[in-house]
Amino acid sequence: MERLDAVVIGNYAYTDKAMITTGGVVHNFKLNLDDNQCSYDFLKLYFKQNRNLSAAKAEWDNIPRVAHSPTFLNAVYISDLLKKKLGFKVGTINNFADELDRVDAFLARGPRYALISSSLIIFPRLITEITDYVKERVPGIKVIVGGTKLFKSYKIRQLYDKGELSDFPLEWLTKMHYFFGPRKDASDYYVVNSRGESTLIKLLEALGKGDDPKGLPNLAYYEGETLVMNEITQEPYLLEDFSIDWDGVDEGIIGFEVPVSIKQGCPYRCSFCDFVGLERKLVTRKWELVMDEFRTINSRFKGKSVCCVDENLFLSKDHLRDFCRNLIKEGLNLKWRGFTRTDVIDSETAVLLSEAGCYSMALGVESGDRDILTHMAKKVTPERSLEAIYALNKAGINTYSTLFVGFPCETDETVANTINFLNSYPTNEKGLNFYSVNAFLVLPISPVSSPEMRGKYGLKGYYDKWTHNTMNSEEAVRQVIRLFKEVRNCYFVYLDSSEKSVLDGSLPQHRDIVRHRQEIVQGRITGITAAEEAALWDKLEAAYASLEGPLSV
């Protein structure tokens, strides 16, 4: 069997849970049956099997795990880059723990390097687990870690050394981030940059020639237990002039959707966002390169939708129009979704999005209270967001609003305003509306964590343990639960499986399915009787039964 040059690992495992704990009680905002999440597709099987959970689970487990997962861009991009720049033979892993058979098969081919992206991995201990697993099976392999988590850790360490993170316990920083405390793993090199691809290529070239790479900028490594951090310099954004060859991507990692990026960076400085602290230059890709990827994906992965993974897809209405018109010109019958601000959406741009194949748009709504949005530096109003949602629904596009509760100046009244805002979402248009809500987190390199803003709001504490002039973290959790219990016109989002591309607001059955599913969960939290829950299950089953076609996934 031909030897591999590298294995690239994009994530530890894909999870889609929404649980919150208060007073020792765990509340799950998503419907579960014996720890099986009741996505649209799983419920289909459950009712097809006449509510026999064991039979439904057996059929569900027979479906490859990758079919229920998105494909992450980081591993795909790095793998393609290594093939083109270095001629490497690469094995690509989307989710390490979910694909151990593939991991073992690749490691059996004796790769010289294992490259781990930290961008989607929250805890360093998981990277330690991956590193130990790889090194145990391939003696002498070089493990290289890079990605956003690593660069955030570097920026956080800088602030800590300046004495600006006194509210963050060293124990927590050591648990959550690199470059604090003792050496965390046996990785050989760390690429420390907001981008890092150029450094990675230079590092691999040096290692391939037998040269010592330890003088390279943007590189960190350990000498024994001592961390050596080289100078950190700016790098070019290689994806700007790079098109991923989707024809050459391993089909074994492709889930229900395929990722594409059209830009990197965001010009806004929302007070809660820790990407602001990365100070990444805004770079947009050439349309012809983006369209080339869309064409190839449409040709090779028939029936797959595309996810535009950018944190803020459109810079302006003109940017949106250019993207959509280019896509319409291609004549591709391709569904896609993305994430954008509401201020680029109106009746005209919503129709254009629909004509270009957009089926769902995630929106950074964050709050339904005007004053809270001002404190967040969102530069948008609830009224403007509501106009955007109505326009998208009228055009047949589903929406997914991200929100959180507890930002400084949050009160019982401002949460009530957000609940009323969500209950003002349309219910009789062609689109369905989903949301997710979390309690506010104090992130080390977000603007609100700066000494100036802490002083302004009386903000003390860190991450999920904080207090400010109007609320504390425990009350924020209670308010999150209150919001979930009281929202009626918007449905909690299920990211697992492809249901976002399946659900159609113009079908009354689909609207009934998401409504009754949410009513069951809300009822479990508020304490409805067993008979009341059973009646809701009957309604949910009736909605599925009234759909045309077989109940199969």
Side-chain angles (χ1 to χ4, degrees), residues 213-248:
K214 291 183 176 178
L216 285 174
N218 306 316
L219 201 66
Y221 55 91
Y222 281 89
E223 292 186 343
E225 294 298 314
T226 302
L227 174 68
V228 178
M229 179 74 69
N230 291 349
E231 179 187 8
I232 307 301
T233 61
Q234 284 195 345
E235 281 197 10
Y237 178 44
L238 297 188
L239 194 57
E240 180 181 8
D241 297 308
F242 186 90
S243 180
I244 292 173
D245 176 19
W246 287 100
D247 277 330

Side-chain angles (χ1 to χ4, degrees), residues 189-219:
Y189 299 100
Y190 303 90
V191 175
V192 186
N193 196 276
S194 64
R195 296 194 167 104
E197 303 97 312
S198 294
T199 296
L200 175 62
I201 297 299
K202 291 174 183 176
L203 170 62
L204 292 171
E205 285 177 334
L207 291 172
K209 295 174 183 176
D211 295 340
D212 184 355
K214 291 183 176 178
L216 285 174
N218 306 316
L219 201 66

Side-chain angles (χ1 to χ4, degrees), residues 438-509:
N438 293 287
F440 167 57
L441 298 175
V442 182
L443 303 174
I445 55 175
S446 61
V448 75
S449 186
S450 68
E452 296 78 16
M453 293 191 77
R454 282 181 175 269
K456 176 180 178 181
Y457 294 118
L459 176 61
K460 298 176 182 177
Y462 66 100
Y463 200 58
D464 60 352
K465 296 176 177 62
W466 50 262
T467 182
H468 54 64
N469 291 338
T470 61
M471 191 171 281
N472 61 43
S473 50
E474 292 180 358
E475 176 60 19
V477 170
R478 288 191 287 271
Q479 293 286 356
V480 166
I481 296 169
R482 170 199 173 194
L483 183 148
F484 178 78
K485 290 191 293 187
E486 296 182 18
V487 169
R488 294 288 180 268
N489 289 1
C490 197
Y491 310 105
F492 204 89
V493 72
Y494 289 58
L495 297 175
D496 197 13
S497 85
S498 58
E499 72 170 40
K500 289 190 302 302
S501 64
V502 172
L503 292 169
D504 182 350
S506 66
L507 294 176
Q509 300 97 324

Side-chain angles (χ1 to χ4, degrees), residues 192-360:
V192 186
N193 196 276
S194 64
R195 296 194 167 104
E197 303 97 312
S198 294
T199 296
L200 175 62
I201 297 299
K202 291 174 183 176
L203 170 62
L204 292 171
E205 285 177 334
L207 291 172
K209 295 174 183 176
D211 295 340
D212 184 355
K214 291 183 176 178
L216 285 174
N218 306 316
L219 201 66
Y221 55 91
Y222 281 89
E223 292 186 343
E225 294 298 314
T226 302
L227 174 68
V228 178
M229 179 74 69
N230 291 349
E231 179 187 8
I232 307 301
T233 61
Q234 284 195 345
E235 281 197 10
Y237 178 44
L238 297 188
L239 194 57
E240 180 181 8
D241 297 308
F242 186 90
S243 180
I244 292 173
D245 176 19
W246 287 100
D247 277 330
V249 171
D250 181 355
E251 196 164 2
I253 67 164
I254 301 299
F256 62 82
E257 62 183 7
V258 185
V260 170
S261 175
I262 73 168
K263 52 172 272 300
Q264 188 179 70
C266 177
Y268 296 92
R269 298 184 60 83
C270 300
S271 300
F272 54 82
C273 180
D274 66 344
F275 277 85
V276 172
L278 299 182
E279 300 171 346
R280 293 194 296 185
K281 181 183 176 183
L282 180 64
V283 181
T284 57
R285 296 182 65 203
K286 296 179 176 66
W287 289 131
E288 56 265 32
L289 295 179
V290 175
M291 293 304 124
D292 180 58
E293 291 195 28
F294 269 85
R295 282 191 296 271
T296 308
I297 291 167
N298 188 57
S299 172
R300 185 176 179 206
F301 304 112
K302 294 292 185 184
K304 303 284 186 183
S305 60
V306 166
C307 176
C308 296
V309 298
D310 310 276
E311 62 264 34
N312 180 18
L313 185 57
F314 301 121
L315 303 174
S316 64
K317 288 183 181 180
D318 283 342
H319 190 224
L320 182 156
R321 291 184 186 106
D322 285 347
F323 174 74
C324 289
R325 286 167 181 162
N326 274 281
L327 204 48
I328 291 168
K329 185 179 177 182
E330 292 294 329
L332 306 177
N333 184 24
L334 187 68
K335 283 185 173 183
W336 61 275
R337 68 183 179 97
F339 187 104
T340 194
R341 288 172 57 90
T342 57
D343 50 12
V344 299
I345 306 295
D346 57 25
S347 57
E348 177 241 336
T349 57
V351 169
L352 202 56
L353 286 166
S354 179
E355 291 174 349
C358 178
Y359 70 87
S360 178

